[in-house]
Amino acid sequence: QVTNLVIRNTIVHNPKWAQNGDGIDISACKNVIIYNTKINAGDDGICMKSSGGSKNGEALLENVIIAECIVNEAHGGFVIGSNTDGRIKNVFVTNCTFDGTDVGIRVKSNSGRGGDVSQIYIERIEMNNIVKEAVLFDTLYADVPVGSSKESEEAQHTGEKVPYFHDFYVSNVNCCLAETAFSFTGLPEKQIENLFFK
């Protein structure tokens, strides 16, 4: 685990064809700033993850600020998941641009790797030329790598480590061109709750 991490004035370039080629992954860290960073990625651009299981309800990933960043040619501009079983709390994203990404804001997980994700604040986002969804929430996310067995696929739907997405606050988001504005897919046993858009 890393505490007090700063990434600033950085350029990250992964080829568009790079499988699992995320730009920046932050996992199980506290007090993180990502500032004035430009990213091209073969997978997710700026991604928040948290795995390993939290103790006493503590979020293993918390207190993150992402500001003045640009993401191009990625699966998602700002992404949470798919590993969230360590809990994620108190993430603030502001003044960022996502141009040409598959999805703008992408929040994903599934049973078997999910956990509590809350107090996420996203504001002043500009999106252009989004290939699919501008905003996507999905707790039935199917992460099935090439060569997966039927058993490994079924293990993702065990009913354990169920994702719970709630208390997201999204404001002043502009999108010019996207196939779909919003997409929400939740689990019947643990619905996505308290999403506020203005």
Side-chain angles (χ1 to χ4, degrees):
Q1 187 177 51
V2 177
T3 302
N4 301 330
L5 170 66
V6 177
I7 300 171
R8 63 182 178 182
N9 305 328
T10 302
I11 296 175
V12 178
H13 183 83
N14 282 337
K16 188 175 181 179
W17 46 260
Q19 187 175 12
N20 294 322
D22 288 354
I24 295 176
D25 282 353
I26 304 297
S27 180
C29 297
K30 295 187 178 183
N31 306 333
V32 177
I33 295 174
I34 303 172
Y35 176 75
N36 192 35
T37 291
K38 185 174 181 179
I39 297 169
N40 282 58
D43 205 317
D44 292 326
I46 301 173
C47 187
M48 306 290 104
K49 300 183 179 185
S50 184
S51 58
S54 63
K55 298 177 181 178
N56 302 318
E58 179 186 8
L60 296 184
L61 175 63
E62 66 177 345
N63 304 334
V64 179
I65 296 174
I66 300 163
E68 306 288 348
C69 293
I70 298 172
V71 180
N72 300 304
E73 295 186 346
H75 285 186
F78 169 70
V79 182
I80 293 176
S82 59
N83 298 88
T84 60
D85 57 293
R87 293 176 173 250
I88 298 173
K89 181 179 179 182
N90 198 24
V91 178
F92 182 57
V93 185
T94 185
N95 289 324
C96 291
T97 300
F98 309 141
D99 193 346
T101 59
D102 291 346
V103 180
I105 298 167
R106 186 183 191 200
V107 185
K108 57 180 180 174
S109 193
N110 56 27
S111 60
R113 67 173 67 187
D116 190 286
V117 180
S118 67
Q119 296 182 32
I120 311 299
Y121 305 87
I122 303 169
E123 66 169 29
R124 298 175 185 168
I125 305 298
E126 293 291 333
M127 303 188 210
N128 300 293
N129 306 308
I130 303 301
V131 178
K132 298 178 182 177
E133 300 91 350
V135 178
L136 169 71
F137 283 73
D138 185 3
T139 54
L140 279 171
Y141 175 71
D143 184 15
V144 184
V146 175
S148 295
S149 66
K150 186 174 186 296
E151 290 76 17
S152 66
E153 294 176 24
E154 290 176 347
Q156 297 185 57
H157 303 283
T158 61
E160 300 175 357
K161 296 184 178 180
V162 177
Y164 181 33
F165 297 157
H166 62 102
D167 296 301
F168 281 67
Y169 303 87
V170 182
S171 62
N172 297 318
V173 172
N174 296 315
C175 180
C176 181
L177 296 180
E179 183 180 85
T180 303
F182 298 94
S183 177
F184 304 96
T185 305
L187 292 166
E189 62 269 30
K190 185 67 77 172
Q191 297 180 358
I192 299 169
E193 296 181 326
N194 299 332
L195 307 182
F196 301 94
F197 295 88
K198 69 175 184 177

